[in-house]
Amino acid sequence: MRALIWMGLAGVAVMTACSEPGTAPGPVPPEATVYSATGPIGATVNQFRAILGPVNGGIAGEQPAGRREINWDGAAAIPFNNRNDFPADFFNTTVKAGAVFTTPGTGFRNDSTLFSEINPDYAAQFLFFTALEMFAPVGSNQLDQSFRVAGQPTPALVRGFGIVFSDVDLADKTTIQLFREDGSSLGTYSAPVRSDEGGFSFVGVTFTDAIIARVRITLGTGALGANVADISAGGAVDLVVLDNLIYSEPRKIL
Ligand SMILES: [Ca+2]
Ligand SMILES: [Ca+2]
Ligand SMILES: [Ca+2]
């Protein structure tokens, strides 16, 4: 904790999710612990991993402890690389990691080219955190991740979720919003703006109990496209892509 403060670019905060303005006071919301970092994010990412526990990889079925982590780099994903049809349930069917995605866009892309096959200029914006693949929705800058008992259709909950982003240029536009099973919000948490050549940002949130059923991931302010430039390269929108997703072991809803 102290070391993170010394870095000046990483932090941990305890927050209480706020109710929406105008809504009646409800029960006291659960306390969230927020981890965020930009620039040299490795120490914070490792801290977040350690808090969630050892990685369970693609082991099917609910494990007693630990975390799951999607780095997009595995051999099984390679047949789908650099196409716009990456299966939304790949990380619960092919790789049994308990993650299913949806997007208002047209698909998903696992990319090993820094998205330069979409637009050659993107290679100057994005960088993978883990080599050599990263991920983005197609035709949208938003995707939702929901959780399953690993390898099963059974809905599940997690107590912690964190994500590594590449090329966050604008403050408070790249966010994760966490939702309970009943659809109520557990708060929206922003990724910090990039601060160095690497361009990585991390935000992660934990609760004491497994209460997160879904995460809405918003990547900057626009979707990737052949004629769409990033805001730091003269464009009108902040383009952001994602790499590692780190979340606690999905638990069957009791
Ligand atoms: Ca990766
Ligand atoms: Ca940029
Ligand atoms: Ca950007």
Side-chain angles (χ1 to χ4, degrees), residues 2 5 21 32 39 59 78 85-86 111 113 118 122 141 148 155 165-166 192 194 196 248:
R2 188 168 297 165
I5 290 168
I59 302 171
I78 288 175
D85 62 349
F86 190 86
D111 198 290
T113 73
I118 295 176
Y122 289 171
N141 66 323
R148 304 285 185 271
F165 298 99
S166 174
R194 66 175 293 172
D196 70 1
S248 64

Side-chain angles (χ1 to χ4, degrees), residues 125-126 166-170 174 194 220 230-232 237-241:
Q125 303 298 325
F126 304 130
S166 174
D167 199 41
V168 175
D169 289 295
L170 297 181
T174 293
R194 66 175 293 172
D230 185 55
I231 194 161
S232 68
V237 293
D238 183 15
L239 302 174
V240 176
V241 299

